[in-house]
Amino acid sequence: MSATKELTYSDVAEHTSKKDLYVVIHDKVYDTSSFVDEHPGGEEVMLDVGGQDATEAFEDVGHSDEAREILNGMLIGNLKRQEGDPKPKTSTTTSSSSSAATSSAGGLGVGVYALILVGGALAFFAYQYLQSSSQQKS
Protein backbone atom coordinates (compact mmCIF):
# COMPACT_ATOMS: atom_id res chain seq x y z
CA MET A 1 0.00 0.00 0.00
CA SER A 2 1.03 3.58 -0.44
CA ALA A 3 2.63 5.27 2.55
CA THR A 4 1.19 8.66 1.57
CA LYS A 5 -2.08 8.07 3.42
CA GLU A 6 -2.40 10.33 6.48
CA LEU A 7 -4.19 9.18 9.60
CA THR A 8 -4.91 11.06 12.82
CA TYR A 9 -4.60 9.69 16.35
CA SER A 10 -8.37 9.34 16.46
CA ASP A 11 -8.23 7.23 13.26
CA VAL A 12 -5.54 5.01 14.77
CA ALA A 13 -7.36 4.73 18.11
CA GLU A 14 -10.30 3.04 16.36
CA HIS A 15 -8.13 0.02 15.50
CA THR A 16 -7.41 -1.81 18.76
CA SER A 17 -8.68 -5.37 18.26
CA LYS A 18 -6.64 -8.44 17.40
CA LYS A 19 -8.15 -8.59 13.91
CA ASP A 20 -7.84 -4.83 13.32
CA LEU A 21 -4.75 -3.43 15.05
CA TYR A 22 -2.91 -0.22 14.19
CA VAL A 23 0.15 1.15 15.96
CA VAL A 24 2.19 4.32 15.55
CA ILE A 25 5.99 4.07 15.55
CA HIS A 26 8.07 7.17 14.80
CA ASP A 27 4.99 8.95 13.43
CA LYS A 28 4.32 6.19 10.90
CA VAL A 29 1.13 4.12 11.09
CA TYR A 30 1.32 0.34 10.73
CA ASP A 31 -1.46 -2.24 10.38
CA THR A 32 -0.09 -5.06 12.55
CA SER A 33 -3.24 -7.19 12.45
CA SER A 34 -1.63 -9.91 10.34
CA PHE A 35 1.35 -10.19 12.70
CA VAL A 36 -0.38 -10.40 16.10
CA ASP A 37 -0.35 -14.22 16.21
CA GLU A 38 3.25 -14.42 14.97
CA HIS A 39 4.75 -11.80 17.32
CA PRO A 40 7.49 -13.49 19.39
CA GLY A 41 6.55 -11.45 22.47
CA GLY A 42 2.96 -12.65 22.34
CA GLU A 43 -0.26 -11.00 21.31
CA GLU A 44 -0.74 -9.26 24.69
CA VAL A 45 2.30 -7.07 24.05
CA MET A 46 0.85 -5.86 20.78
CA LEU A 47 -2.68 -5.45 22.09
CA ASP A 48 -1.35 -3.30 24.96
CA VAL A 49 -0.04 -0.70 22.49
CA GLY A 50 -2.74 -1.09 19.86
CA GLY A 51 -4.32 2.12 18.67
CA GLN A 52 -1.60 4.30 20.15
CA ASP A 53 2.01 5.43 19.92
CA ALA A 54 4.17 2.34 20.40
CA THR A 55 7.52 4.01 19.63
CA GLU A 56 8.89 3.80 23.16
CA ALA A 57 7.83 0.17 23.63
CA PHE A 58 9.23 -0.80 20.23
CA GLU A 59 12.61 0.87 20.82
CA ASP A 60 12.96 -0.28 24.44
CA VAL A 61 12.89 -3.89 23.30
CA GLY A 62 15.68 -3.31 20.78
CA HIS A 63 14.11 -4.99 17.76
CA SER A 64 16.38 -6.56 15.14
CA ASP A 65 16.87 -5.37 11.58
CA GLU A 66 14.67 -8.26 10.47
CA ALA A 67 11.86 -7.06 12.75
CA ARG A 68 12.18 -3.57 11.29
CA GLU A 69 11.92 -5.01 7.76
CA ILE A 70 8.77 -6.89 8.73
CA LEU A 71 7.38 -3.68 10.19
CA ASN A 72 8.09 -1.78 6.96
CA GLY A 73 5.89 -4.29 5.13
CA MET A 74 2.95 -3.27 7.35
CA LEU A 75 3.25 0.49 6.76
CA ILE A 76 -0.07 2.05 5.77
CA GLY A 77 0.59 5.75 6.22
CA ASN A 78 1.90 8.67 8.22
CA LEU A 79 0.52 10.12 11.41
CA LYS A 80 -1.05 13.53 10.93
CA ARG A 81 -0.56 15.34 14.21
CA GLN A 82 -3.32 17.66 15.32
CA GLU A 83 -3.62 20.10 18.19
CA GLY A 84 -4.39 18.22 21.40
CA ASP A 85 -2.73 14.98 20.28
CA PRO A 86 -0.31 13.37 22.71
CA LYS A 87 3.29 14.43 22.23
CA PRO A 88 5.71 11.87 20.78
CA LYS A 89 6.83 9.52 23.52
CA THR A 90 10.50 9.69 22.61
CA SER A 91 12.60 12.70 21.85
CA THR A 92 16.23 13.05 20.81
CA THR A 93 17.43 13.35 24.41
CA THR A 94 15.22 10.50 25.60
CA SER A 95 16.49 8.27 22.81
CA SER A 96 20.13 8.72 23.77
CA SER A 97 19.44 8.13 27.46
CA SER A 98 17.22 5.19 26.54
CA SER A 99 20.04 3.73 24.46
CA ALA A 100 22.44 4.17 27.36
CA ALA A 101 19.98 2.46 29.69
CA THR A 102 19.54 -0.39 27.23
CA SER A 103 23.28 -0.94 26.90
CA SER A 104 23.81 -0.92 30.66
CA ALA A 105 20.87 -3.28 31.09
CA GLY A 106 22.52 -5.55 28.52
CA GLY A 107 25.75 -5.37 30.51
CA LEU A 108 23.86 -6.31 33.66
CA GLY A 109 22.38 -9.32 31.86
CA VAL A 110 25.84 -10.59 30.93
CA GLY A 111 26.98 -9.98 34.51
CA VAL A 112 24.13 -12.08 35.86
CA TYR A 113 25.05 -14.94 33.52
CA ALA A 114 28.70 -14.67 34.58
CA LEU A 115 27.67 -14.72 38.24
CA ILE A 116 25.56 -17.82 37.69
CA LEU A 117 28.42 -19.53 35.85
CA VAL A 118 30.97 -18.71 38.58
CA GLY A 119 28.51 -19.74 41.30
CA GLY A 120 27.87 -23.05 39.55
CA ALA A 121 31.61 -23.69 39.19
CA LEU A 122 32.18 -22.91 42.88
CA ALA A 123 29.35 -25.24 43.90
CA PHE A 124 30.77 -28.01 41.70
CA PHE A 125 34.27 -27.71 43.16
CA ALA A 126 32.91 -27.50 46.72
CA TYR A 127 30.93 -30.69 46.08
CA GLN A 128 34.02 -32.44 44.67
CA TYR A 129 36.11 -31.32 47.67
CA LEU A 130 33.53 -32.55 50.16
CA GLN A 131 33.23 -35.88 48.34
CA SER A 132 37.00 -36.42 48.35
CA SER A 133 37.18 -35.40 52.03
CA SER A 134 34.48 -37.88 53.03
CA GLN A 135 36.15 -40.69 51.02
CA GLN A 136 39.50 -40.05 52.73
CA LYS A 137 37.85 -40.27 56.18
CA SER A 138 36.24 -43.65 55.32
Side-chain angles (χ1 to χ4, degrees):
M1 279 190 166
S2 172
T4 58
K5 185 175 180 183
E6 287 194 332
L7 295 105
T8 63
Y9 263 115
S10 59
D11 294 332
V12 173
E14 295 173 4
H15 303 273
T16 59
S17 70
K18 183 178 175 180
K19 302 250 185 246
D20 182 29
L21 190 68
Y22 286 11
V23 296
V24 175
I25 300 175
H26 296 294
D27 286 349
K28 301 223 180 278
V29 181
Y30 300 91
D31 181 352
T32 57
S33 310
S34 62
F35 192 69
V36 173
D37 289 328
E38 299 172 36
H39 189 262
E43 68 182 49
E44 296 82 20
V45 173
M46 298 207 41
L47 292 172
D48 284 346
V49 296
Q52 54 187 311
D53 191 334
T55 303
E56 188 174 10
F58 183 82
E59 294 300 343
D60 282 352
V61 172
H63 283 89
S64 66
D65 290 339
E66 182 182 357
R68 292 174 190 277
E69 287 177 29
I70 292 169
L71 185 66
N72 284 337
M74 295 184 253
L75 180 66
I76 58 169
N78 294 312
L79 181 66
K80 180 180 180 184
R81 291 195 175 274
Q82 297 179 331
E83 195 172 319
D85 283 348
K87 300 285 184 224
K89 296 209 178 179
T90 58
S91 65
T92 311
T93 54
T94 307
S95 296
S96 59
S97 64
S98 173
S99 298
T102 304
S103 63
S104 40
L108 178 62
V110 172
V112 170
Y113 287 121
L115 184 62
I116 291 170
L117 183 64
V118 169
L122 286 173
F124 173 76
F125 288 116
Y127 175 77
Q128 293 296 322
Y129 174 76
L130 291 173
Q131 287 297 317
S132 66
S133 294
S134 67
Q135 287 177 356
Q136 287 176 0
K137 290 181 182 177
S138 298

